[in-house]
Amino acid sequence: MAYQPAAPPPKKSKRVLFIVLGVVLALCCSGGALGAFLIYRVAMDATGPVRSTVNTFAGALVERDYPTAYQQLCIRIRDRVSEADFTQQQATEPDLTGHKITGLSVSNQNGLVTGSATVRYTPAEGGATSRVYPLIKEEGNWRICE
């Protein structure tokens, strides 16, 4: 009888390996997406109220609605400057046609919560001018307090 070499072992299917790798990859991707979403939500929860206050203030300046802008100021400034004086001061500023918030930050140092916002205004005569507004949290609301 002639020598017959042993038959090579059958190739193992890699199907199970690919299924397991696909499931692991899908879990990693969905976990990363969920983490990114949660980080985004935390950031928006922290800066959303600040953005709202600054938008109200800057929009009121553009619209020349000075009483609304005045109400966005902190008590310390409102005690020092009357609404009539604020209105008179703002009325001397150039006309504005728009604004855009270009930067926001919120910080908490030893329980003192503060913020900062950078706003770029578009004057009617052209160009652009930026202004940085410091903010404080006062009686649960964000106020501009320069």
Side-chain angles (χ1 to χ4, degrees):
M1 183 158 261
Y3 172 76
Q4 289 195 355
K11 289 188 175 185
K12 291 187 178 185
S13 172
K14 294 185 180 180
R15 181 177 181 201
V16 173
L17 175 66
F18 288 130
I19 290 173
V20 170
L21 286 176
V23 169
V24 169
L25 182 63
L27 287 174
C28 288
C29 289
S30 61
L34 178 63
F37 174 75
L38 291 175
I39 289 171
Y40 171 78
R41 291 291 300 163
V42 167
M44 288 309 295
D45 287 346
T47 61
V50 173
R51 181 177 296 278
S52 177
T53 297
V54 174
N55 258 331
T56 300
F57 181 78
L61 291 182
V62 169
E63 297 297 320
R64 294 192 169 267
D65 179 5
Y66 301 128
T68 299
Y70 184 78
Q71 291 305 312
Q72 304 309 306
L73 300 175
C74 67
I75 292 172
R76 188 174 68 223
I77 292 178
R78 286 184 287 165
D79 284 346
R80 197 176 66 226
V81 179
S82 71
E83 186 175 332
D85 288 342
F86 176 78
T87 298
Q88 184 179 14
Q89 177 189 21
Q90 293 302 315
T92 63
E93 296 291 324
D95 286 343
L96 303 171
T97 60
H99 76 279
K100 180 179 181 179
I101 297 174
T102 59
L104 282 175
S105 69
V106 175
S107 66
N108 184 344
Q109 295 179 349
N110 298 326
L112 177 63
V113 182
T114 60
S116 175
T118 305
V119 179
R120 184 174 57 230
Y121 290 101
T122 307
E125 65 267 2
T129 182
S130 289
R131 186 104 191 256
V132 177
Y133 296 110
L135 293 106
I136 62 168
K137 200 161 191 181
E138 187 175 78
E139 298 174 353
N141 296 312
W142 284 98
R143 299 283 181 222
I144 293 172
C145 203
E146 40 189 34

